[in-house]
Amino acid sequence: MIVRLLALLSTLCLAACAAESTTVEKKAGFVLRPDTQVIYIAPFRTVMVPAPVADPLFDTFVDELNLRGEQSPENSYSFVILKKIPAEIDGGQLARHHYLTGELYGFLEDSGGGSTTIQIQARLQLFQPGNEDSTLTIHDSDLLYFDHDQAALPEKRQEIAQRVAHRLADSLWQALMDR
């Protein structure tokens, strides 16, 4: 009983300390407020992330960016999903455009007798014309702890997907608009 209590307390402390973390790294060649109307988004690569998390995360991310683009007339951008991964597209053609790639990884669901911890990490990279490497990298990690008596796994998977998607969209938008 004491061991379970200590495990629960350490998990709660871990959740409180590392619940969410986002870092934004602007690199050489990064251009604020790109002079383009369209920014392309490649489908996110996932490493062992279940579809009930990965799919709504990607969809919400794209929807959030397009909503911001529509609501900001002075900076109207459209975010268009590429139908292929960048490796399948002519490199010369893609290099002339602004485009995003993303990865979802480090996913872990740790369930005990009455609780579950969900953990996920995400990386977003912006590529801009004239640069071979990404000019902006955003890292995000999230940790969610819940008691089975209070919520169900599908509900919490949706919640963590929404949280990460909104933070990624917000971080990207702020970086592009220099806010």
Side-chain angles (χ1 to χ4, degrees), residues 7-51:
L8 176 64
L9 288 174
S10 66
T11 302
L12 287 173
C13 288
L14 180 62
C17 296
E20 39 187 75
S21 169
T22 306
T23 59
V24 177
E25 179 186 0
K26 296 177 184 176
K27 301 175 184 174
F30 176 73
V31 176
L32 285 172
R33 295 184 179 93
D35 191 21
T36 185
Q37 294 299 312
V38 176
I39 297 176
Y40 294 97
I41 303 175
F44 286 177
R45 286 175 276 154
T46 61
V47 179
M48 298 178 64
V49 179

Side-chain angles (χ1 to χ4, degrees), residues 9-150:
L9 288 174
S10 66
T11 302
L12 287 173
C13 288
L14 180 62
C17 296
E20 39 187 75
S21 169
T22 306
T23 59
V24 177
E25 179 186 0
K26 296 177 184 176
K27 301 175 184 174
F30 176 73
V31 176
L32 285 172
R33 295 184 179 93
D35 191 21
T36 185
Q37 294 299 312
V38 176
I39 297 176
Y40 294 97
I41 303 175
F44 286 177
R45 286 175 276 154
T46 61
V47 179
M48 298 178 64
V49 179
V53 175
D55 294 347
L57 194 156
F58 182 76
D59 294 344
T60 300
F61 172 73
V62 175
D63 291 347
E64 177 72 21
L65 287 174
N66 279 317
L67 182 64
R68 288 171 187 245
E70 292 168 6
Q71 293 177 345
S72 180
E74 70 277 0
N75 298 307
S76 62
Y77 293 106
S78 292
F79 295 85
V80 177
I81 300 170
L82 292 171
K83 299 299 178 193
K84 299 179 181 178
I85 61 172
E88 296 174 349
I89 300 172
D90 173 34
Q93 179 185 2
L94 195 56
R96 292 190 298 271
H97 299 282
H98 292 77
Y99 69 96
L100 294 162
T101 63
E103 298 172 293
L104 304 176
Y105 61 98
F107 185 82
L108 175 66
E109 283 181 5
D110 185 20
S111 292
S115 64
T116 296
T117 301
I118 303 174
Q119 180 178 342
I120 190 169
Q121 294 192 40
R123 179 177 26 252
L124 186 65
Q125 293 183 299
L126 174 67
F127 293 84
Q128 295 178 307
N131 295 286
E132 194 171 301
D133 297 323
S134 67
T135 58
L136 177 75
T137 301
I138 299 170
H139 290 273
D140 188 88
S141 62
D142 203 337
L143 181 68
L144 185 139
Y145 171 83
F146 68 96
D147 188 327
H148 296 166
D149 292 337
Q150 304 298 318

